Amino acid sequence: MRSLIFWVAVFLLVGIPLPASAEVTICLEVQAEPEELENLSKLVRTELARHPSHRLVERDCQVHLVVELFEVAKAKVLTLRIDDNVPMRLRIDNPNDLIKDLTDGLSLVLDNDPVRLNRDIAHMSLLERAAHSVLQQGNTNWHFELFQAVSRTESGAAFAPGGAFAMSRGANHAQVMARVYAAGFPGGLQGDARVLRVMAGADVGAAWEFDARSAFSFYVGAGIGLRYVRYEGLLRPTDPGSDESFNAILGGFTLRAGLRMFRTTDFDLDIYAAAFIPLHPAVDVDSLLFGEDGLYTPSGQVGIGIGF
């Protein structure tokens, strides 16, 4: 279990980096009556410091913010404008409302700053650009899958049909995925064969599609998962009454490769092969089915999914 926690932490810390927070440098110009100018400047600078998206500099800035406070028809008017964009004007009927109106207005102006909205992400790493693309531009799809699972046992391969429900979000080449699944073999026990009676689990991961735009694209992916398995078999092949069960919970890595088709329509078709590589052997101290040391049980799935 400690190994699983360690690898989950590694995956979260280095496998899926969050997009870098690219600050926009901003210059400030404050205009007001001489008796109000100093205090208004301090107030604006204090509010700007609360916005990590922008960093106040004195020169060589990317955008220019102008804040004006003036009187028209015996009423105060607060104006905020970035470069040549449409200014925001707020009427200050009560002097006590100035701080709140400045806070709200500044948030709206900075959030809609065209430089921030269209900033170049070329400085980001490949993984950071992929994560930024998925989070900011991605589309979410839901998938139903049918698959055939195969798992290693000491007497050979054990097969089980199953189904899965998955969610993916992606843009361009990158996809992130989450999936829950279940499978099981309904047949009886015979001879020394081991039956994969139940397999259920969940995994999360990321995939890279080789073509970002075409209707057909191959892809590869990897992730981590947690799985429950139950095997059944006869301890003595000729004795039907010697049936035994084996239960285990496994953590491991997942690998997946496939072909997605009809990606430009309202649904897509996914033909795939997946593998589950456990981090440790399957062990059940209450069962003799695989001996005292258990058994290392990697497995695979071959399936087809429909997304919408």
Side-chain angles (χ1 to χ4, degrees), residues 7-75:
W7 286 110
V8 168
V10 171
F11 183 84
L12 293 177
L13 289 173
V14 303
I16 311 180
L18 293 177
S21 178
E23 294 179 332
V24 176
T25 55
I26 186 169
C27 292
L28 174 63
E29 179 183 349
V30 180
Q31 300 176 8
E33 295 297 329
E35 65 272 14
E36 298 176 320
L37 181 59
E38 182 178 355
N39 289 334
L40 181 61
S41 296
K42 290 180 179 179
L43 183 59
V44 175
R45 289 174 178 273
T46 299
E47 291 300 321
L48 270 175
R50 298 172 54 193
H51 292 268
S53 60
H54 292 73
R55 178 167 56 87
L56 183 62
V57 296
E58 298 301 325
R59 59 181 180 273
D60 299 328
C61 51
Q62 295 172 274
V63 297
H64 190 90
L65 171 66
V66 177
V67 178
E68 299 176 85
L69 181 65
F70 53 91
E71 185 174 331
V72 176
K74 297 182 179 181

Side-chain angles (χ1 to χ4, degrees), residues 225-271:
L226 193 65
R227 168 180 294 182
Y228 164 76
V229 290
R230 177 183 176 88
Y231 296 90
E232 294 181 0
L234 299 177
L235 294 178
R236 296 181 295 276
T238 59
D239 182 4
S242 65
D243 58 295
E244 177 78 300
S245 62
F246 180 99
N247 300 274
I249 296 177
L250 303 169
F253 294 109
T254 60
L255 301 174
R256 180 168 173 141
L259 171 65
R260 283 186 63 210
M261 300 177 284
F262 312 116
R263 298 163 66 216
T264 56
T265 65
D266 292 336
F267 75 97
D268 64 77
L269 191 66
D270 182 6
I271 300 175

Side-chain angles (χ1 to χ4, degrees), residues 181 202-203 224-227 250-255 274-279 296-301:
Y181 59 88
D203 51 61
I224 56 175
L226 193 65
R227 168 180 294 182
L250 303 169
F253 294 109
T254 60
L255 301 174
F276 181 81
I277 304 172
L279 293 173
Y296 189 68
T297 56
S299 63
Q301 298 176 12

Side-chain angles (χ1 to χ4, degrees), residues 9 44 83 95 158 185 193 203 209 286 305-306 308:
V44 175
D83 294 334
F185 183 76
D203 51 61
E209 297 182 329
D286 297 322
I306 296 178
F308 60 92

Side-chain angles (χ1 to χ4, degrees), residues 1-8 226 249-251 279-280:
M1 182 58 68
R2 290 181 179 177
S3 297
L4 175 60
I5 294 173
F6 169 79
W7 286 110
V8 168
L226 193 65
I249 296 177
L250 303 169
L279 293 173
H280 51 85

